């Protein structure tokens, strides 16, 4: 998986040694509250390790799940995801679309990190030839909507196409 760099951040593959950070972040309701129809808090390091392994399997040279690290401290700040998004329906079949997503630790919120990291992953995806990337957010997720505005993805209204729920859809087309 390609490591990506921005002025303040390094985006690199997750490693087993990051499990403490993953557990700390994903065990918090303020992080999970808009993720999934029923928020589920991570409970232990085994779950963190299993998630890190599952994320590793997303890597296909274009898609991937990146650990976002602050360059000046080396501290982990969050996660950036570029991955196939399942269609609504009982089988979670692939929809054919690729989604970008962002999850950050509350200690790192409000510094523009999510937007900076997301812009780099969008650029990577388009550079690798993806025609289109989608974002879906819970309508109440104001911070995430702001990230969408900052990276220039285009609002398309509500959709029930993904994750068996109604979400706000944003799209970005490859400018190349
Ligand atoms: C969404 C999230 C990734 C944003 O991370 P972040 O690093 O703070 O994002 P940024 O700093 O790049 O931008 C956030 C913007 O939202 C604004 N914002 C944050 N909370 C807000 C609120 N409650 N109301 C209005 N604006 C808000 C910030 O001021 C900032 O805008 P600004 O740069 O114009 O000041 C972070 O809140 C998070 O991890 N949330 C939990 C996981 C999640 O919901 N992920 C998204 C799933 S779609």
């Amino acid at each position: 998986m390609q490591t990506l760099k921005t002025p303040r951040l390094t985006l690199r593959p997750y490693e087993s040694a990051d499990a403490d950070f993953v557990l700390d972040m994903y065990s918090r309701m303020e992080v999970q509250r808009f993720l999934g129809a029923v928020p589920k808090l991570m409970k232990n390091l085994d779950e963190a390790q299993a998630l890190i392994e599952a994320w590793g399997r997303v890597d296909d040279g274009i898609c991937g799940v990146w650990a976002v690290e602050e360059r000046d401290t080396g501290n982990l700040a969050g996660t950036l995801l570029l991955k196939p998004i399942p269609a609504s329906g009982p089988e979670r079949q692939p929809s054919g679309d690729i989604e970008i997503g962002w999850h950050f630790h509350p200690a790192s919120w409000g510094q523009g990190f999510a937007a900076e990291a997301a812009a780099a992953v969008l650029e990577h995806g388009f550079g690798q030839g993806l025609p289109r990337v989608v974002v879906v957010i819970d309508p109440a997720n104001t911070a995430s909507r702001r990230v969408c505005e900052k990276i220039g993805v285009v609002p398309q209204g509500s959709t029930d196409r993904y994750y068996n729920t109604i979400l706000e859809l944003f799209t970005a087309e490859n400018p190349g």
Side-chain angles (χ1 to χ4, degrees):
M1 193 166 101
Q2 224 171 296
T3 292
L4 308 174
K5 286 199 189 285
T6 72
R8 295 182 296 166
L9 306 168
T10 299
L11 284 70
R12 51 125 176 116
Y14 265 109
E15 300 160 0
S16 289
D18 302 323
D20 286 337
F21 170 78
V22 168
L23 176 59
D24 183 15
M25 182 162 82
Y26 289 96
S27 59
R28 291 167 184 263
M29 183 51 90
E30 65 265 52
V31 172
Q32 293 283 11
R33 61 194 275 242
F34 296 126
L35 307 184
V38 183
K40 192 167 164 286
L41 303 188
M42 188 174 275
K43 289 194 198 61
N44 55 53
L45 282 171
D46 286 348
E47 288 183 18
Q49 290 291 2
L51 189 58
I52 290 170
E53 279 169 32
W55 281 336
R57 294 192 287 275
V58 177
D59 177 17
D60 67 358
I62 303 174
C63 288
V65 180
W66 287 264
V68 182
E69 207 176 81
E70 289 182 53
R71 288 176 72 163
D72 58 354
T73 60
N75 291 338
L76 281 167
T79 305
L80 238 292
L81 308 95
L82 187 68
K83 65 175 192 59
I85 180 171
S88 288
E91 308 289 342
R92 289 178 65 90
Q93 297 286 344
S95 62
D97 291 327
I98 302 293
E99 73 167 323
I100 185 170
W102 36 77
H103 311 146
F104 278 71
H105 192 289
S108 299
W109 289 0
Q111 300 176 68
F113 288 159
E116 185 169 322
V121 167
L122 258 192
E123 192 183 332
H124 156 81
F126 289 146
Q128 296 294 318
L130 288 180
R132 178 173 179 264
V133 173
V134 308
V135 187
V136 285
I137 70 166
D138 184 302
N141 195 343
T142 316
S144 210
R145 180 178 302 109
R146 182 75 191 113
V147 173
C148 287
E149 286 168 7
K150 290 200 288 183
I151 66 171
V153 293
V154 180
Q156 305 289 358
S158 296
T159 183
D160 61 1
R161 210 176 298 157
Y162 312 104
Y163 292 124
N164 295 316
T165 188
I166 296 172
L167 295 164
E168 262 182 61
L169 173 68
F170 297 77
T171 59
E173 306 290 330
N174 193 326

